[in-house]
PDB file of all heavy atoms in Angstrom:
ATOM      1  N   ASP A 256      39.292 -11.213 -19.615  1.00 69.00           N
ATOM      2  CA  ASP A 256      39.690  -9.828 -19.183  1.00 69.00           C
ATOM      3  C   ASP A 256      40.209  -9.822 -17.898  1.00 69.00           C
ATOM      4  O   ASP A 256      39.672 -10.577 -17.047  1.00 69.00           O
ATOM      5  CB  ASP A 256      38.448  -8.931 -19.423  1.00 69.00           C
ATOM      6  CG  ASP A 256      39.043  -7.513 -19.715  1.00 69.00           C
ATOM      7  OD1 ASP A 256      40.277  -7.241 -19.566  1.00 69.00           O
ATOM      8  OD2 ASP A 256      38.186  -6.575 -19.986  1.00 69.00           O
ATOM      9  N   SER A 257      41.187  -9.030 -17.580  1.00 79.00           N
ATOM     10  CA  SER A 257      41.737  -9.033 -16.196  1.00 79.00           C
ATOM     11  C   SER A 257      40.734  -8.393 -15.290  1.00 79.00           C
ATOM     12  O   SER A 257      40.011  -7.429 -15.667  1.00 79.00           O
ATOM     13  CB  SER A 257      43.119  -8.284 -16.163  1.00 79.00           C
ATOM     14  OG  SER A 257      42.852  -6.910 -16.061  1.00 79.00           O
ATOM     15  N   PRO A 258      40.679  -8.879 -14.067  1.00 84.00           N
ATOM     16  CA  PRO A 258      39.721  -8.329 -13.020  1.00 84.00           C
ATOM     17  C   PRO A 258      39.871  -6.842 -12.880  1.00 84.00           C
ATOM     18  O   PRO A 258      38.967  -6.072 -12.791  1.00 84.00           O
ATOM     19  CB  PRO A 258      40.002  -9.110 -11.813  1.00 84.00           C
ATOM     20  CG  PRO A 258      40.500 -10.458 -12.297  1.00 84.00           C
ATOM     21  CD  PRO A 258      41.173 -10.139 -13.540  1.00 84.00           C
ATOM     22  N   VAL A 259      41.036  -6.360 -12.884  1.00 86.00           N
ATOM     23  CA  VAL A 259      41.200  -4.931 -12.700  1.00 86.00           C
ATOM     24  C   VAL A 259      40.536  -4.018 -13.860  1.00 86.00           C
ATOM     25  O   VAL A 259      40.094  -2.977 -13.585  1.00 86.00           O
ATOM     26  CB  VAL A 259      42.778  -4.412 -12.377  1.00 86.00           C
ATOM     27  CG1 VAL A 259      43.547  -4.607 -13.550  1.00 86.00           C
ATOM     28  CG2 VAL A 259      42.777  -3.024 -11.731  1.00 86.00           C
ATOM     29  N   ASN A 260      40.660  -4.639 -14.981  1.00 83.00           N
ATOM     30  CA  ASN A 260      40.049  -3.957 -16.119  1.00 83.00           C
ATOM     31  C   ASN A 260      38.461  -3.900 -16.074  1.00 83.00           C
ATOM     32  O   ASN A 260      37.829  -2.887 -16.311  1.00 83.00           O
ATOM     33  CB  ASN A 260      40.477  -4.599 -17.536  1.00 83.00           C
ATOM     34  CG  ASN A 260      41.855  -4.330 -17.901  1.00 83.00           C
ATOM     35  OD1 ASN A 260      42.433  -3.420 -17.368  1.00 83.00           O
ATOM     36  ND2 ASN A 260      42.303  -4.983 -18.951  1.00 83.00           N
ATOM     37  N   VAL A 261      37.992  -4.999 -15.587  1.00 82.00           N
ATOM     38  CA  VAL A 261      36.555  -5.098 -15.427  1.00 82.00           C
ATOM     39  C   VAL A 261      36.083  -4.073 -14.348  1.00 82.00           C
ATOM     40  O   VAL A 261      35.189  -3.277 -14.513  1.00 82.00           O
ATOM     41  CB  VAL A 261      36.040  -6.478 -15.009  1.00 82.00           C
ATOM     42  CG1 VAL A 261      34.612  -6.588 -14.694  1.00 82.00           C
ATOM     43  CG2 VAL A 261      36.414  -7.528 -16.092  1.00 82.00           C
ATOM     44  N   LEU A 262      36.844  -4.101 -13.172  1.00 87.00           N
ATOM     45  CA  LEU A 262      36.542  -3.128 -12.121  1.00 87.00           C
ATOM     46  C   LEU A 262      36.562  -1.746 -12.716  1.00 87.00           C
ATOM     47  O   LEU A 262      35.777  -0.928 -12.263  1.00 87.00           O
ATOM     48  CB  LEU A 262      37.476  -3.414 -11.080  1.00 87.00           C
ATOM     49  CG  LEU A 262      37.382  -2.427  -9.872  1.00 87.00           C
ATOM     50  CD1 LEU A 262      36.091  -2.457  -9.190  1.00 87.00           C
ATOM     51  CD2 LEU A 262      38.597  -2.644  -8.731  1.00 87.00           C
ATOM     52  N   SER A 263      37.623  -1.312 -13.476  1.00 86.00           N
ATOM     53  CA  SER A 263      37.793  -0.113 -13.929  1.00 86.00           C
ATOM     54  C   SER A 263      36.531   0.388 -14.785  1.00 86.00           C
ATOM     55  O   SER A 263      36.071   1.433 -14.685  1.00 86.00           O
ATOM     56  CB  SER A 263      38.971   0.217 -14.765  1.00 86.00           C
ATOM     57  OG  SER A 263      40.078  -0.274 -14.125  1.00 86.00           O
ATOM     58  N   ARG A 264      36.093  -0.534 -15.649  1.00 82.00           N
ATOM     59  CA  ARG A 264      34.971  -0.092 -16.547  1.00 82.00           C
ATOM     60  C   ARG A 264      33.651   0.045 -15.728  1.00 82.00           C
ATOM     61  O   ARG A 264      32.996   0.901 -16.018  1.00 82.00           O
ATOM     62  CB  ARG A 264      34.843  -1.227 -17.567  1.00 82.00           C
ATOM     63  CG  ARG A 264      35.534  -0.880 -18.789  1.00 82.00           C
ATOM     64  CD  ARG A 264      34.879  -1.646 -19.977  1.00 82.00           C
ATOM     65  NE  ARG A 264      35.005  -3.130 -19.738  1.00 82.00           N
ATOM     66  CZ  ARG A 264      36.099  -3.814 -19.987  1.00 82.00           C
ATOM     67  NH1 ARG A 264      37.182  -3.218 -20.608  1.00 82.00           N
ATOM     68  NH2 ARG A 264      36.182  -5.063 -19.647  1.00 82.00           N
ATOM     69  N   VAL A 265      33.463  -0.835 -14.766  1.00 84.00           N
ATOM     70  CA  VAL A 265      32.250  -0.701 -13.960  1.00 84.00           C
ATOM     71  C   VAL A 265      32.384   0.621 -13.162  1.00 84.00           C
ATOM     72  O   VAL A 265      31.495   1.382 -13.097  1.00 84.00           O
ATOM     73  CB  VAL A 265      32.095  -1.914 -13.021  1.00 84.00           C
ATOM     74  CG1 VAL A 265      31.064  -1.607 -11.992  1.00 84.00           C
ATOM     75  CG2 VAL A 265      31.876  -3.161 -13.751  1.00 84.00           C
ATOM     76  N   THR A 266      33.509   0.982 -12.673  1.00 87.00           N
ATOM     77  CA  THR A 266      33.684   2.164 -11.902  1.00 87.00           C
ATOM     78  C   THR A 266      33.458   3.482 -12.813  1.00 87.00           C
ATOM     79  O   THR A 266      32.844   4.352 -12.429  1.00 87.00           O
ATOM     80  CB  THR A 266      35.137   2.304 -11.345  1.00 87.00           C
ATOM     81  OG1 THR A 266      35.386   1.082 -10.572  1.00 87.00           O
ATOM     82  CG2 THR A 266      35.457   3.468 -10.478  1.00 87.00           C
ATOM     83  N   ASP A 267      33.989   3.365 -14.035  1.00 84.00           N
ATOM     84  CA  ASP A 267      33.782   4.482 -14.985  1.00 84.00           C
ATOM     85  C   ASP A 267      32.310   4.701 -15.149  1.00 84.00           C
ATOM     86  O   ASP A 267      31.794   5.861 -15.210  1.00 84.00           O
ATOM     87  CB  ASP A 267      34.390   4.166 -16.318  1.00 84.00           C
ATOM     88  CG  ASP A 267      35.883   4.382 -16.229  1.00 84.00           C
ATOM     89  OD1 ASP A 267      36.467   4.912 -15.292  1.00 84.00           O
ATOM     90  OD2 ASP A 267      36.636   3.812 -17.198  1.00 84.00           O
ATOM     91  N   GLN A 268      31.539   3.675 -15.327  1.00 81.00           N
ATOM     92  CA  GLN A 268      30.065   3.781 -15.545  1.00 81.00           C
ATOM     93  C   GLN A 268      29.312   4.299 -14.390  1.00 81.00           C
ATOM     94  O   GLN A 268      28.501   5.314 -14.455  1.00 81.00           O
ATOM     95  CB  GLN A 268      29.454   2.442 -15.896  1.00 81.00           C
ATOM     96  CG  GLN A 268      29.858   1.880 -17.299  1.00 81.00           C
ATOM     97  CD  GLN A 268      28.927   0.883 -17.858  1.00 81.00           C
ATOM     98  OE1 GLN A 268      27.746   0.888 -17.458  1.00 81.00           O
ATOM     99  NE2 GLN A 268      29.400   0.058 -18.694  1.00 81.00           N
ATOM    100  N   LEU A 269      29.789   3.981 -13.249  1.00 85.00           N
ATOM    101  CA  LEU A 269      29.148   4.471 -12.017  1.00 85.00           C
ATOM    102  C   LEU A 269      29.476   5.950 -11.768  1.00 85.00           C
ATOM    103  O   LEU A 269      28.762   6.817 -11.374  1.00 85.00           O
ATOM    104  CB  LEU A 269      29.551   3.650 -10.740  1.00 85.00           C
ATOM    105  CG  LEU A 269      29.042   2.273 -10.655  1.00 85.00           C
ATOM    106  CD1 LEU A 269      29.655   1.478  -9.536  1.00 85.00           C
ATOM    107  CD2 LEU A 269      27.491   2.277 -10.465  1.00 85.00           C
ATOM    108  N   LEU A 270      30.666   6.312 -12.173  1.00 85.00           N
ATOM    109  CA  LEU A 270      31.099   7.668 -11.876  1.00 85.00           C
ATOM    110  C   LEU A 270      30.422   8.701 -12.833  1.00 85.00           C
ATOM    111  O   LEU A 270      30.204   9.820 -12.487  1.00 85.00           O
ATOM    112  CB  LEU A 270      32.755   7.792 -12.046  1.00 85.00           C
ATOM    113  CG  LEU A 270      33.552   7.319 -10.900  1.00 85.00           C
ATOM    114  CD1 LEU A 270      34.998   7.307 -11.230  1.00 85.00           C
ATOM    115  CD2 LEU A 270      33.245   8.124  -9.672  1.00 85.00           C
ATOM    116  N   THR A 271      30.025   8.215 -13.931  1.00 80.00           N
ATOM    117  CA  THR A 271      29.291   9.097 -14.946  1.00 80.00           C
ATOM    118  C   THR A 271      27.828   9.372 -14.473  1.00 80.00           C
ATOM    119  O   THR A 271      27.171  10.054 -14.951  1.00 80.00           O
ATOM    120  CB  THR A 271      29.135   8.553 -16.288  1.00 80.00           C
ATOM    121  OG1 THR A 271      28.447   7.301 -16.316  1.00 80.00           O
ATOM    122  CG2 THR A 271      30.512   8.380 -16.972  1.00 80.00           C
ATOM    123  N   GLN A 272      27.409   8.513 -13.359  1.00 76.00           N
ATOM    124  CA  GLN A 272      26.029   8.704 -12.962  1.00 76.00           C
ATOM    125  C   GLN A 272      25.821   9.401 -11.618  1.00 76.00           C
ATOM    126  O   GLN A 272      24.768   9.244 -10.971  1.00 76.00           O
ATOM    127  CB  GLN A 272      25.439   7.316 -12.816  1.00 76.00           C
ATOM    128  CG  GLN A 272      25.261   6.633 -14.127  1.00 76.00           C
ATOM    129  CD  GLN A 272      25.374   5.129 -14.017  1.00 76.00           C
ATOM    130  OE1 GLN A 272      25.285   4.680 -12.911  1.00 76.00           O
ATOM    131  NE2 GLN A 272      25.557   4.515 -15.142  1.00 76.00           N
ATOM    132  N   ASP A 273      26.838  10.207 -11.286  1.00 71.00           N
ATOM    133  CA  ASP A 273      26.556  11.035 -10.135  1.00 71.00           C
ATOM    134  C   ASP A 273      26.106  10.239  -8.806  1.00 71.00           C
ATOM    135  O   ASP A 273      25.198  10.524  -8.310  1.00 71.00           O
ATOM    136  CB  ASP A 273      25.521  12.111 -10.500  1.00 71.00           C
ATOM    137  CG  ASP A 273      25.427  13.205  -9.360  1.00 71.00           C
ATOM    138  OD1 ASP A 273      26.386  13.370  -8.728  1.00 71.00           O
ATOM    139  OD2 ASP A 273      24.353  13.715  -9.184  1.00 71.00           O
ATOM    140  N   ARG A 274      26.784   9.185  -8.533  1.00 75.00           N
ATOM    141  CA  ARG A 274      26.412   8.359  -7.386  1.00 75.00           C
ATOM    142  C   ARG A 274      27.372   8.545  -6.330  1.00 75.00           C
ATOM    143  O   ARG A 274      27.749   7.648  -5.524  1.00 75.00           O
ATOM    144  CB  ARG A 274      26.511   6.858  -7.878  1.00 75.00           C
ATOM    145  CG  ARG A 274      25.666   6.580  -9.029  1.00 75.00           C
ATOM    146  CD  ARG A 274      25.033   5.124  -8.776  1.00 75.00           C
ATOM    147  NE  ARG A 274      23.602   5.283  -8.642  1.00 75.00           N
ATOM    148  CZ  ARG A 274      22.905   4.320  -8.047  1.00 75.00           C
ATOM    149  NH1 ARG A 274      23.568   3.356  -7.546  1.00 75.00           N
ATOM    150  NH2 ARG A 274      21.651   4.452  -7.880  1.00 75.00           N
ATOM    151  N   THR A 275      28.036   9.732  -6.225  1.00 82.00           N
ATOM    152  CA  THR A 275      29.082   9.948  -5.264  1.00 82.00           C
ATOM    153  C   THR A 275      28.605  10.697  -4.042  1.00 82.00           C
ATOM    154  O   THR A 275      27.612  11.439  -4.024  1.00 82.00           O
ATOM    155  CB  THR A 275      30.274  10.699  -5.883  1.00 82.00           C
ATOM    156  OG1 THR A 275      29.878  11.880  -6.500  1.00 82.00           O
ATOM    157  CG2 THR A 275      31.032   9.793  -6.954  1.00 82.00           C
ATOM    158  N   ASP A 276      29.349  10.467  -2.946  1.00 85.00           N
ATOM    159  CA  ASP A 276      29.072  11.198  -1.727  1.00 85.00           C
ATOM    160  C   ASP A 276      29.940  12.418  -1.530  1.00 85.00           C
ATOM    161  O   ASP A 276      30.579  12.802  -2.533  1.00 85.00           O
ATOM    162  CB  ASP A 276      29.228  10.262  -0.453  1.00 85.00           C
ATOM    163  CG  ASP A 276      30.642   9.668  -0.339  1.00 85.00           C
ATOM    164  OD1 ASP A 276      31.535  10.327  -1.010  1.00 85.00           O
ATOM    165  OD2 ASP A 276      30.839   8.768   0.365  1.00 85.00           O
ATOM    166  N   SER A 277      29.955  13.078  -0.402  1.00 86.00           N
ATOM    167  CA  SER A 277      30.629  14.330  -0.248  1.00 86.00           C
ATOM    168  C   SER A 277      32.183  14.189  -0.471  1.00 86.00           C
ATOM    169  O   SER A 277      32.840  15.113  -0.778  1.00 86.00           O
ATOM    170  CB  SER A 277      30.358  14.950   1.058  1.00 86.00           C
ATOM    171  OG  SER A 277      30.662  13.987   2.103  1.00 86.00           O
ATOM    172  N   SER A 278      32.713  12.864  -0.199  1.00 86.00           N
ATOM    173  CA  SER A 278      34.137  12.728  -0.367  1.00 86.00           C
ATOM    174  C   SER A 278      34.433  12.338  -1.827  1.00 86.00           C
ATOM    175  O   SER A 278      35.486  12.145  -2.167  1.00 86.00           O
ATOM    176  CB  SER A 278      34.578  11.563   0.557  1.00 86.00           C
ATOM    177  OG  SER A 278      34.038  10.316   0.078  1.00 86.00           O
ATOM    178  N   GLY A 279      33.374  12.372  -2.662  1.00 87.00           N
ATOM    179  CA  GLY A 279      33.715  12.053  -4.147  1.00 87.00           C
ATOM    180  C   GLY A 279      33.720  10.613  -4.401  1.00 87.00           C
ATOM    181  O   GLY A 279      34.021  10.262  -5.505  1.00 87.00           O
ATOM    182  N   ARG A 280      33.368   9.766  -3.302  1.00 92.00           N
ATOM    183  CA  ARG A 280      33.516   8.403  -3.641  1.00 92.00           C
ATOM    184  C   ARG A 280      32.060   7.781  -3.864  1.00 92.00           C
ATOM    185  O   ARG A 280      31.055   8.317  -3.464  1.00 92.00           O
ATOM    186  CB  ARG A 280      34.008   7.588  -2.435  1.00 92.00           C
ATOM    187  CG  ARG A 280      35.621   7.952  -2.306  1.00 92.00           C
ATOM    188  CD  ARG A 280      36.174   7.143  -1.166  1.00 92.00           C
ATOM    189  NE  ARG A 280      35.556   7.546   0.107  1.00 92.00           N
ATOM    190  CZ  ARG A 280      35.944   6.962   1.238  1.00 92.00           C
ATOM    191  NH1 ARG A 280      36.738   5.931   1.252  1.00 92.00           N
ATOM    192  NH2 ARG A 280      35.279   7.328   2.369  1.00 92.00           N
ATOM    193  N   ILE A 281      32.062   6.645  -4.590  1.00 93.00           N
ATOM    194  CA  ILE A 281      30.752   5.988  -5.053  1.00 93.00           C
ATOM    195  C   ILE A 281      30.145   5.465  -3.859  1.00 93.00           C
ATOM    196  O   ILE A 281      30.790   4.678  -3.000  1.00 93.00           O
ATOM    197  CB  ILE A 281      30.995   4.919  -6.070  1.00 93.00           C
ATOM    198  CG1 ILE A 281      31.531   5.679  -7.369  1.00 93.00           C
ATOM    199  CG2 ILE A 281      29.683   4.161  -6.381  1.00 93.00           C
ATOM    200  CD1 ILE A 281      32.161   4.716  -8.354  1.00 93.00           C
ATOM    201  N   ARG A 282      28.821   5.676  -3.612  1.00 91.00           N
ATOM    202  CA  ARG A 282      28.179   5.247  -2.268  1.00 91.00           C
ATOM    203  C   ARG A 282      27.354   4.007  -2.487  1.00 91.00           C
ATOM    204  O   ARG A 282      27.020   3.452  -1.465  1.00 91.00           O
ATOM    205  CB  ARG A 282      27.314   6.371  -1.758  1.00 91.00           C
ATOM    206  CG  ARG A 282      26.450   7.007  -2.655  1.00 91.00           C
ATOM    207  CD  ARG A 282      25.508   8.011  -1.941  1.00 91.00           C
ATOM    208  NE  ARG A 282      24.385   8.273  -2.786  1.00 91.00           N
ATOM    209  CZ  ARG A 282      24.410   9.235  -3.775  1.00 91.00           C
ATOM    210  NH1 ARG A 282      25.282  10.225  -3.887  1.00 91.00           N
ATOM    211  NH2 ARG A 282      23.279   9.328  -4.473  1.00 91.00           N
ATOM    212  N   THR A 283      27.170   3.554  -3.645  1.00 93.00           N
ATOM    213  CA  THR A 283      26.512   2.173  -3.926  1.00 93.00           C
ATOM    214  C   THR A 283      27.357   1.075  -3.283  1.00 93.00           C
ATOM    215  O   THR A 283      28.581   0.942  -3.475  1.00 93.00           O
ATOM    216  CB  THR A 283      26.368   1.858  -5.348  1.00 93.00           C
ATOM    217  OG1 THR A 283      25.847   3.041  -6.037  1.00 93.00           O
ATOM    218  CG2 THR A 283      25.505   0.647  -5.692  1.00 93.00           C
TER     219      THR A 283
END
Side-chain angles (χ1 to χ4, degrees):
D256 203 353
S257 82
V259 72
N260 286 350
V261 175
L262 174 60
S263 307
R264 264 200 303 276
V265 168
T266 305
D267 287 347
Q268 290 199 25
L269 288 170
L270 283 173
T271 58
Q272 289 152 16
D273 189 26
R274 303 215 113 201
T275 50
D276 61 14
S277 54
S278 71
R280 291 182 299 171
I281 296 163
R282 48 177 200 267
T283 311

